[in-house]
């Protein structure tokens, strides 16, 4: 029984396995930055820090199950271009929702709002699944060993949760970060659609990573201005 499971997972440990695993983890971390900020922005739609935390936790548990299912069925999924169309269209729809949402008092878009935790969880889970259509393909290209890809995905989902938690804080600190994040989401969505049209149109990974780095540099370029509520008190004390 174990032999059959190991054969299905292509579990054949080799000297190269740790190096391949490190590469997969690195790719997961790099390719998850835009995913993390999208999930953080979605969670912020709850307007409650405790609910945001729960939405990320429960949403990523469901996302993990979906991601593992995608890895185990990747060979079958890759035969159907319709999955890439649905994933790309879904991500572009999220981008459209964000940039057409009403602006807040800070003149910035804040994306969709949710009335309950149950509304946010499926959106988080399916957003990660749409991103995984691209990242899983990259991971399988690096290694055909399913157990390595599964291990990388497990570590990747933990990293994603940590990164999303950081981005929730940073979204409150940097003016352009949410817009920058959704621009990178649009790039991933367009990449999925280009795969359907013609693989030769798809930009290489290094170009995507470079573009994402530049967009995030812009996203972190301006901090929000804190309110100087203590200024009057100081001026009175000095008199």
């Amino acid at each position: 029984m174990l032999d059959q499971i190991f054969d299905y997972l292509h579990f054949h440990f080799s000297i190269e396995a740790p190096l391949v695993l490190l590469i997969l983890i690195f790719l997961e971390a790099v390719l998850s930055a835009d995913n993390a900020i999208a999930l953080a922005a979605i969670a912020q739609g709850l307007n409650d820090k405790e609910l945001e935390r729960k939405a990320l936790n429960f949403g990523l548990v469901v996302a993990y199950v979906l991601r593992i299912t995608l890895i185990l069925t990747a060979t079958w999924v890759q035969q159907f271009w319709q999955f890439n169309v649905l994933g790309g269209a879904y991500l572009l729809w999220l981008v459209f929702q964000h940039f057409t949402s009403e602006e807040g008092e800070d003149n910035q878009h804040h994306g969709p709002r949710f009335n309950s935790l149950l509304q946010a969880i499926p959106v988080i889970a399916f957003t990660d699944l749409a991103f995984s259509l691209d990242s899983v393909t990259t991971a399988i290209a690096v290694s055909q060993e399913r157990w390595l890809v599964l291990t990388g995905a497990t570590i990747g989902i933990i990293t994603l949760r940590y990164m999303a938690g950081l981005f929730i804080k940073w979204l409150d600190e940097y003016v352009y970060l949410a817009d920058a994040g959704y621009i990178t989401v649009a790039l991933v969505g367009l990449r999925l659609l280009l795969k359907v049209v013609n693989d030769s149109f798809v930009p290489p990974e290094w170009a995507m990573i470079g573009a994402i780095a530049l967009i995030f540099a812009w996203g972190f370029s301006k901090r929000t201005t804190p309110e100087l509520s203590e200024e009057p008190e100081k001026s009175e004390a000095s008199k």
Side-chain angles (χ1 to χ4, degrees):
M1 181 66 178
L2 284 177
D3 291 341
Q4 292 176 344
I5 295 174
F6 287 162
D7 286 340
Y8 178 73
L9 295 177
H10 299 166
F11 189 87
H12 304 292
F13 191 82
S14 62
I15 297 175
E16 295 85 3
L19 178 60
V20 173
L21 182 58
L22 285 175
I23 293 172
L24 289 172
I25 293 171
F26 173 76
L27 286 173
E28 283 282 353
V30 172
L31 297 176
S32 290
D34 47 0
N35 190 357
I37 192 171
L39 299 187
I42 290 169
Q44 273 200 327
L46 287 163
N47 286 328
D48 181 278
K49 294 302 179 184
E50 181 62 21
L51 288 179
E52 287 173 9
R53 185 185 64 80
K54 289 182 178 179
L56 284 175
N57 288 340
F58 292 126
L60 286 177
V61 168
V62 178
Y64 177 67
V65 174
L66 294 176
R67 190 183 290 202
I68 296 302
T69 303
L70 178 61
I71 292 171
L72 295 177
T73 60
T75 305
W76 175 77
V77 169
Q78 288 175 344
Q79 297 175 5
F80 298 94
W81 54 267
Q82 291 89 343
F83 286 107
N84 281 344
V85 171
L86 288 173
Y90 175 75
L91 292 179
L92 292 177
W93 174 74
L94 285 179
V95 175
F96 174 79
Q97 270 202 319
H98 172 74
F99 284 108
T100 57
S101 64
E102 293 184 4
E103 295 183 353
E105 295 179 358
D106 54 359
N107 297 322
Q108 298 297 316
H109 296 283
H110 293 282
R113 299 299 183 186
F114 304 104
N115 296 320
S116 70
L117 193 63
L118 291 178
Q119 288 181 335
I121 289 173
V123 178
I124 288 173
F126 282 109
T127 300
D128 179 75
L129 180 63
F131 272 95
S132 296
L133 287 170
D134 191 39
S135 61
V136 166
T137 302
T138 303
I140 291 175
V142 173
S143 175
Q144 294 297 317
E145 301 279 353
R146 280 198 184 94
W147 74 272
L148 279 174
V149 179
L150 289 171
T151 304
T154 302
I155 297 173
I157 207 81
I158 296 171
T159 304
L160 181 60
R161 172 63 184 87
Y162 175 74
M163 291 175 65
L166 286 176
F167 274 117
I168 280 184
K169 297 177 183 177
W170 290 336
L171 284 169
D172 292 330
E173 296 180 18
Y174 295 93
V175 176
Y176 304 129
L177 189 55
D179 287 348
Y182 275 100
I183 292 172
T184 63
V185 172
L187 290 181
V188 176
L190 290 173
R191 179 183 167 88
L192 287 172
L193 295 180
L194 286 175
K195 282 185 177 181
V196 176
V197 177
N198 192 325
D199 273 337
S200 62
F201 294 159
V202 178
E205 292 294 341
W206 64 265
M208 284 290 292
I209 293 172
I212 289 172
L214 289 174
I215 293 168
F216 271 88
W218 170 70
F220 283 105
S221 65
K222 182 179 180 181
R223 283 182 176 271
T224 54
T225 305
E227 295 183 3
L228 302 176
S229 58
E230 296 181 1
E231 192 71 23
E233 295 181 7
K234 288 182 179 179
S235 59
E236 288 179 8
S238 60
K239 290 181 180 180

